[in-house]
Amino acid sequence: MATQKLLLLPGDGIGPEVMAEVKRLIGWLNAKGLASFATEEGLVGGAAYDAHGASISEADMDKAKAADAIIFGAVGGPKWDGVPYEVRPEAGLLRLRKDLGLFANLRPAVCYPALADASSLKREIVEGLDIMIVRELTGGVYFGEPKTITDLGNGQKRAVDTQVYDTYEIERIARVAFDLARKRKNKVTSMEKRNVMKSGVLWNEVVTAVHNREYKDVTLEHQLADSGGMNLVKYPKMFDVIVTDNLFGDMLSDIAAMLTGSLGMLPSASLGEVDAKTHKRRALYEPVHGSAPDIAGKGLANPIAMLTSFGMALRYSFDMGALADKLDAAVAAVLASGLRTADIKAEGSTPASTAQMGEAIIKELEKLTA
């Protein structure tokens, strides 16, 4: 069995606490002979700024480039609100995405049966929900230039952010979405704002062209992003795969997260191009939730999104889909038993700490792999 190299970047806030449960899982998998992972750890975000004066050091960037996959916790917190913009905690994550070419962000939103009542929507709206949001991650307004704040005098300033997309960027993210749809319900919904944005006009045109050339067997529909957001909370089960740009993907995926009951339930994968020679791709896996500094160090954090992010690594980086399925089943079984962290507690449920939830999931996984 080949040994796979993982770089663990716990980050800030609750990041180290939820990462501890991934480390526990990795240790269990290695001990059981189900996998062979070698791990290194590094600093990112505020932790890296405190140690190095940068949001990620060059040494840790080198480790990231050499790893088979990166497992990422969370960054940020009020402690670093006053640091220079270019070294803010979030800049470390943005650099990883950009320098490693991680252009495709996959954010599944799955509502486990036991959590249907934890959603802010009615049970019948979310029960059985299983959608995938594919967000373009290295282009658009977050990276476009110019990006400036100019002093105009007389107490006035002007801020400029630039939304930029080239054809190839839209083509490659569209292909990711169509390929995923072929393994799911064979439907893609593309979202943009072509009614008011030139980038939206191009987005619509390119996605349509890729569909017509290469994926006519997949159903394609287009929605304006604001209308799509409305439909996500009106009838989310109308969607299968949603593909959209960096900005809209950021917002729509957080909306989808709350349909599942908690941000603590949502994993994600950020993928690069497949190397033509090695057939491998650089990848980073992270929970969608933030660093939650208000509960950091209290053992209250929900580790499920972190654990299922590692499950996505098993699926997309290491061709261990069957093991990833068992991890998902273990999570579902633990939730069905009534065990809950604070963010998903319900009447009659059994309270659990971060560590207790992680331990219970591994015990359930042990049953499923026996």
Side-chain angles (χ1 to χ4, degrees):
M1 183 184 299
T3 297
Q4 310 289 350
K5 295 170 59 178
L6 298 175
L7 175 62
L8 310 182
L9 296 174
D12 309 318
I14 62 171
E17 294 169 73
V18 294
M19 187 67 77
E21 301 313 306
V22 170
K23 290 162 70 174
R24 188 206 301 250
L25 175 57
I26 291 169
W28 182 85
L29 290 172
N30 285 345
K32 292 292 181 179
L34 295 171
S36 179
F37 292 113
T39 62
E40 284 190 289
E41 289 196 45
L43 299 176
V44 70
Y49 178 80
D50 290 346
H52 307 297
S55 54
I56 187 167
S57 69
E58 294 304 321
D60 283 335
M61 277 302 305
D62 289 340
K63 291 179 185 177
K65 291 172 182 176
D68 292 310
I70 301 160
I71 313 298
F72 187 100
V75 292
K79 176 182 178 182
W80 302 283
D81 283 349
V83 305
Y85 182 79
E86 62 275 9
V87 292
R88 69 200 187 283
E90 295 78 9
L93 178 56
L94 292 176
R95 183 179 176 192
L96 283 163
R97 291 171 177 171
K98 193 69 174 179
D99 286 10
L100 300 180
L102 307 178
F103 71 92
N105 185 229
L106 278 53
R107 293 193 176 187
V110 176
C111 185
Y112 291 91
L115 292 185
D117 291 324
S119 173
S120 55
L121 300 184
K122 296 177 181 177
R123 170 178 279 272
E124 60 266 27
I125 300 296
V126 296
E127 192 169 24
L129 179 69
D130 181 358
I131 61 179
M132 177 72 78
I133 296 181
V134 179
R135 168 189 171 191
E136 199 290 322
L137 203 58
T138 57
V141 73
Y142 291 173
F143 292 99
E145 295 290 345
K147 183 184 291 289
T148 62
I149 297 178
T150 304
D151 192 333
L152 303 177
N154 299 318
Q156 297 295 305
K157 293 182 178 180
R158 175 177 294 144
V160 174
D161 290 288
T162 305
Q163 170 84 342
V164 177
Y165 272 108
D166 291 342
T167 300
Y168 80 94
E169 294 175 293
I170 305 169
E171 287 178 335
R172 67 184 182 180
I173 196 68
R175 290 190 182 101
V176 171
F178 287 126
D179 286 338
L180 280 169
R182 280 177 169 168
K183 299 175 183 177
R184 294 169 53 91
K185 299 175 185 174
N186 222 39
K187 178 183 176 182
V188 170
T189 304
S190 176
M191 295 189 187
E192 26 65 13
K193 284 287 288 179
R194 63 189 181 278
N195 57 335
V196 292
M197 298 173 68
K198 288 293 187 180
S199 60
V201 172
L202 181 64
W203 186 281
N204 181 280
E205 173 189 310
V206 173
V207 171
T208 301
V210 171
H211 175 257
N212 290 341
R213 285 197 313 266
E214 304 170 36
Y215 297 94
K216 286 187 177 180
D217 58 300
V218 181
T219 298
L220 172 65
E221 66 177 19
H222 298 275
Q223 289 193 22
L224 298 178
D226 49 354
S227 175
M230 178 189 71
N231 284 322
L232 266 176
V233 296
K234 182 181 180 183
Y235 186 50
K237 286 185 281 188
M238 72 183 290
F239 300 111
D240 178 26
V241 175
I242 295 171
V243 62
T244 189
D245 73 12
N246 207 341
L247 175 61
F248 295 138
D250 195 357
M251 294 186 289
L252 292 168
S253 58
D254 278 6
I255 293 172
M258 290 314 298
L259 303 179
T260 70
S262 168
L263 274 173
M265 296 299 301
L266 205 68
S268 77
S270 299
L271 309 177
E273 296 271 19
V274 176
D275 186 279
K277 293 182 179 178
T278 66
H279 303 293
K280 293 183 177 181
R281 68 198 318 164
R282 285 176 170 162
L284 180 149
Y285 300 90
E286 62 173 316
V288 171
H289 64 67
S291 62
D294 56 319
I295 62 168
K298 299 179 181 179
L300 298 175
N302 185 346
I304 290 177
M306 185 80 257
L307 289 167
T308 52
S309 293
F310 179 72
M312 293 185 78
L314 295 176
R315 190 180 304 280
Y316 295 112
S317 283
F318 304 120
D319 196 25
M320 297 180 183
L323 185 57
D325 288 341
K326 288 178 181 178
L327 178 58
D328 289 341
V331 171
V334 169
L335 293 172
S337 76
L339 203 65
R340 298 284 188 277
T341 46
D343 59 313
I344 51 174
K345 65 182 178 182
E347 188 175 346
S349 63
T350 303
S353 68
T354 307
Q356 287 169 336
M357 180 62 82
E359 183 178 8
I361 290 169
I362 291 176
K363 284 183 178 178
E364 195 63 41
L365 184 59
E366 188 159 15
K367 296 178 189 176
L368 295 170
T369 55

